[in-house]
Amino acid sequence: MIGLSMTAYGGKSLEAFEDWVSSAKGLGFDFIEILSEWPHYLTRENAAFFREVLNSYDLKATVHAPFSDLNIASFNTRIRDASLEIIHETIEVAAELEALVVTMHPGHCSPISVKNRDKYLEIHHDSLRKIARWGEEYGVKIGVENMPRFPILDAQTCDRLMEVVGEVEIGVTFDVGHLNTTTGNFDRFMRLFGDRIVHVHLHDNSGERDEHLPLGEGTVPWERVIPKLPDVTWTLEVDSLKSARKSLEFLKNLH
């Protein structure tokens, strides 16, 4: 199954969302990835709207949990608790939408965490264990995503992501574009995580930064990567319907 992320929806309100979903359906997508970020967070108050629109086009949903301003590995208890509360609400609402998977970002680094690496990892694991329990409670798959090259972001390599998730019984979202900005070691990522990969994000870039280009317009070696990707849900994370159309055509021509 392949879906389209709301990264391709440019509306500042949800007024044009139904028309956009109709266009995505027309392109042949199987689901929409609801990006719960400003200016259209997924909440208990608007869940019915998303459900009604997607159901009317016979589309399923995946959810990308909020990440801006959140830090599940914060040393500040109040910040960490608020971040976890938001993640909990997202999982709860995702369950109501019968979402196929929820993708979330790991915590990120701070001056304190850099100086106290062991404690930081302990806090990280504790938060992820709570999130994993919520996923099990609500029957929702959770995927912790590898991060792109950016100063404060953690889990930029497959080895570091493995440290972050550790032995916590939680899945992984494999973001191919993100890994292209760091190690580009796609084979190792898939070997290391194997069945823990519950979801995949597809987009392209030049290898220097997280550009979210259409597939084929960057340096990701798609001819080598696509045949090896696991049989899970794949989401296109591009910036427009035009880019989505280009990416679908690119995938079609690969076969």
Side-chain angles (χ1 to χ4, degrees):
M1 295 178 71
I2 188 163
L4 181 62
S5 170
M6 283 179 67
T7 55
Y9 176 70
K12 294 298 183 185
S13 74
L14 291 172
E15 184 177 350
F17 181 69
E18 184 169 356
D19 288 341
W20 179 82
V21 168
S22 176
S23 297
K25 176 70 174 182
L27 289 175
F29 288 103
D30 301 302
F31 63 87
I32 296 297
E33 182 146 309
I34 299 170
L35 178 61
S36 185
E37 278 282 285
W38 186 88
H40 26 63
Y41 295 102
L42 173 64
T43 65
R44 296 184 183 95
E45 288 70 32
N46 64 17
F49 167 78
F50 282 105
R51 181 171 56 248
E52 181 180 340
V53 172
L54 295 183
N55 285 349
S56 68
Y57 290 94
D58 195 27
L59 287 169
K60 297 187 180 299
T62 60
V63 173
H64 196 310
F67 52 89
S68 297
D69 305 320
L70 274 65
N71 189 2
I72 64 165
S74 174
F75 276 65
N76 186 311
T77 305
R78 287 183 293 176
I79 292 173
R80 186 169 72 251
D81 287 348
S83 300
L84 287 169
E85 182 181 350
I86 291 168
I87 297 295
H88 181 271
E89 179 184 4
T90 302
I91 294 170
E92 181 183 19
V93 175
E96 293 176 12
L97 295 176
E98 298 182 348
L100 302 170
V101 66
V102 171
T103 291
M104 58 166 289
H105 285 192
H108 56 78
C109 302
S110 68
I112 294 174
S113 64
V114 169
K115 294 177 181 177
N116 299 273
R117 306 291 294 182
D118 290 343
K119 182 63 177 177
Y120 169 66
L121 202 56
E122 178 186 325
I123 292 171
H124 228 144
H125 288 165
D126 182 60
S127 290
L128 288 175
R129 276 190 288 269
K130 291 177 181 177
I131 293 166
R133 286 197 298 271
W134 297 331
E136 185 176 357
E137 176 185 350
Y138 288 102
V140 177
K141 292 181 184 177
I142 310 292
V144 183
E145 186 176 13
N146 59 296
M147 293 290 94
R149 180 187 300 181
F150 195 79
I152 68 168
L153 297 183
D154 204 344
Q156 295 185 27
T157 69
C158 52
D159 293 292
R160 178 56 186 170
L161 179 58
M162 182 59 82
E163 281 187 296
V164 167
V165 297
E167 296 181 359
V168 179
E169 293 185 8
I170 197 166
V172 165
T173 290
F174 177 24
D175 192 301
V176 177
H178 286 176
L179 196 66
N180 195 55
T181 69
T182 57
T183 67
N185 200 336
F186 308 105
D187 290 341
R188 175 164 171 72
F189 193 104
M190 288 182 275
R191 284 197 308 270
L192 189 63
F193 289 104
D195 291 342
R196 290 187 77 169
I197 299 174
V198 295
H199 190 50
V200 171
H201 282 165
L202 304 176
H203 52 95
D204 217 332
N205 57 66
S206 63
E208 296 299 318
R209 59 189 179 88
D210 191 25
E211 299 167 279
H212 287 261
L213 299 175
L215 307 193
E217 293 193 4
T219 61
V220 174
W222 296 109
E223 296 83 354
R224 178 166 59 85
V225 172
I226 290 293
K228 298 178 181 179
L229 289 176
D231 184 20
V232 295
T233 44
W234 299 359
T235 293
L236 276 176
E237 275 196 330
V238 292
D239 64 0
S240 67
L241 287 169
K242 181 180 178 181
S243 294
R245 187 178 296 108
K246 285 182 179 179
S247 297
L248 287 176
E249 189 65 26
F250 179 83
L251 287 172
K252 181 180 177 181
N253 291 335
L254 274 182
H255 299 291

